[in-house]
Amino acid sequence: VSFAVYEWPITLAPNQEATVKYQISLVGVWLGLLFIIIIVYIAFRFVFTPSVTKIARAHGALHRGREIIVTLEAKNNSLNEIKDIVITDVVPQLTEVIQKFDTLKPVIRKTAEGMELSWKLDSLKTAEERVINYRIKPTVDVLGSLELHSSTMRFYDGKRVKRFVVSRAVSVK
């Protein structure tokens, strides 16, 4: 609890009176409170949102035929179960998919950008996580690094609203 003491030195003669008028402005307090509420809301939405993370690692230099392991981690950080999940990833044209899958086998479709891989999951409960691995190999020698596109996860939230989350693009060296 905090309080403030205000003093107004006034000299009064007998039978004289004085009125002291003052005004308290709470605009700063209300703006500060609104700012804190907005920050908490944004932090809550950021922390409690499903996510997909893409990780790629190659053992050695990126020579033609060298295997690159790509891992997709789908996490449900929300407070509700998410359903009808589709995770999509595009493999660039300079690479090809190795038809050996450690986890779920994807549906593979050829597109203008390369090969599109998609996995369907029924649901992810709160705090549940799925890890998907697949392997690719360059069809040519790569100088420098190989850029892999971001992955997308489409799902329906607890209110049956269709949502999307996107991973970061990955650079393999």
Side-chain angles (χ1 to χ4, degrees):
V1 177
S2 68
F3 59 92
V5 176
Y6 299 99
E7 292 183 21
W8 291 275
I10 298 174
T11 307
L12 295 174
N15 292 330
Q16 221 181 8
E17 66 181 52
T19 304
V20 176
K21 293 183 180 182
Y22 66 94
Q23 183 177 353
I24 297 175
S25 176
L26 297 176
V27 172
V29 173
W30 286 112
L31 287 176
L33 187 60
L34 180 65
F35 179 73
I36 290 170
I37 289 171
I38 290 171
I39 293 298
V40 168
Y41 176 77
I42 291 170
F44 184 82
R45 293 290 298 192
F46 181 73
V47 170
F48 294 108
T49 300
S51 65
V52 61
T53 306
K54 185 174 189 174
I55 302 166
R57 59 191 176 279
H59 303 288
L62 292 177
H63 296 297
R64 183 162 135 179
R66 178 72 57 127
E67 191 173 276
I68 300 169
I69 300 171
V70 181
T71 303
L72 303 175
E73 296 176 357
K75 296 179 186 177
N76 182 6
N77 298 323
S78 71
L79 301 175
N80 298 309
E81 180 177 19
I82 59 174
K83 297 185 177 192
D84 300 329
I85 304 155
V86 177
I87 300 170
T88 307
D89 199 11
V90 176
V91 177
Q93 290 182 354
L94 296 176
T95 62
E96 65 178 301
V97 178
I98 298 173
Q99 297 293 324
K100 173 185 168 190
F101 299 100
D102 300 334
T103 54
L104 298 172
K105 184 174 180 173
V107 173
I108 302 173
R109 188 172 62 102
K110 191 169 185 113
T111 65
E113 296 177 355
M115 300 296 281
E116 181 184 85
L117 288 77
S118 62
W119 295 265
K120 292 184 181 182
L121 307 172
D122 292 332
S123 66
L124 283 176
K125 294 181 172 80
T126 300
E128 189 175 3
E129 178 180 332
R130 258 328 132 71
V131 177
I132 299 170
N133 291 319
Y134 68 92
R135 299 163 194 270
I136 59 174
K137 61 182 175 181
T139 54
V140 296
D141 288 339
V142 178
L143 298 175
S145 63
L146 177 66
E147 299 297 321
L148 300 178
H149 302 288
S150 56
S151 302
T152 305
M153 182 169 73
R154 183 199 78 213
F155 60 92
Y156 289 92
D157 65 8
K159 297 176 184 173
R160 299 296 297 161
V161 176
K162 190 177 190 177
R163 305 243 185 234
F164 293 90
V165 291
V166 178
S167 73
R168 292 185 177 164
V170 176
S171 178
V172 183
K173 296 179 183 179

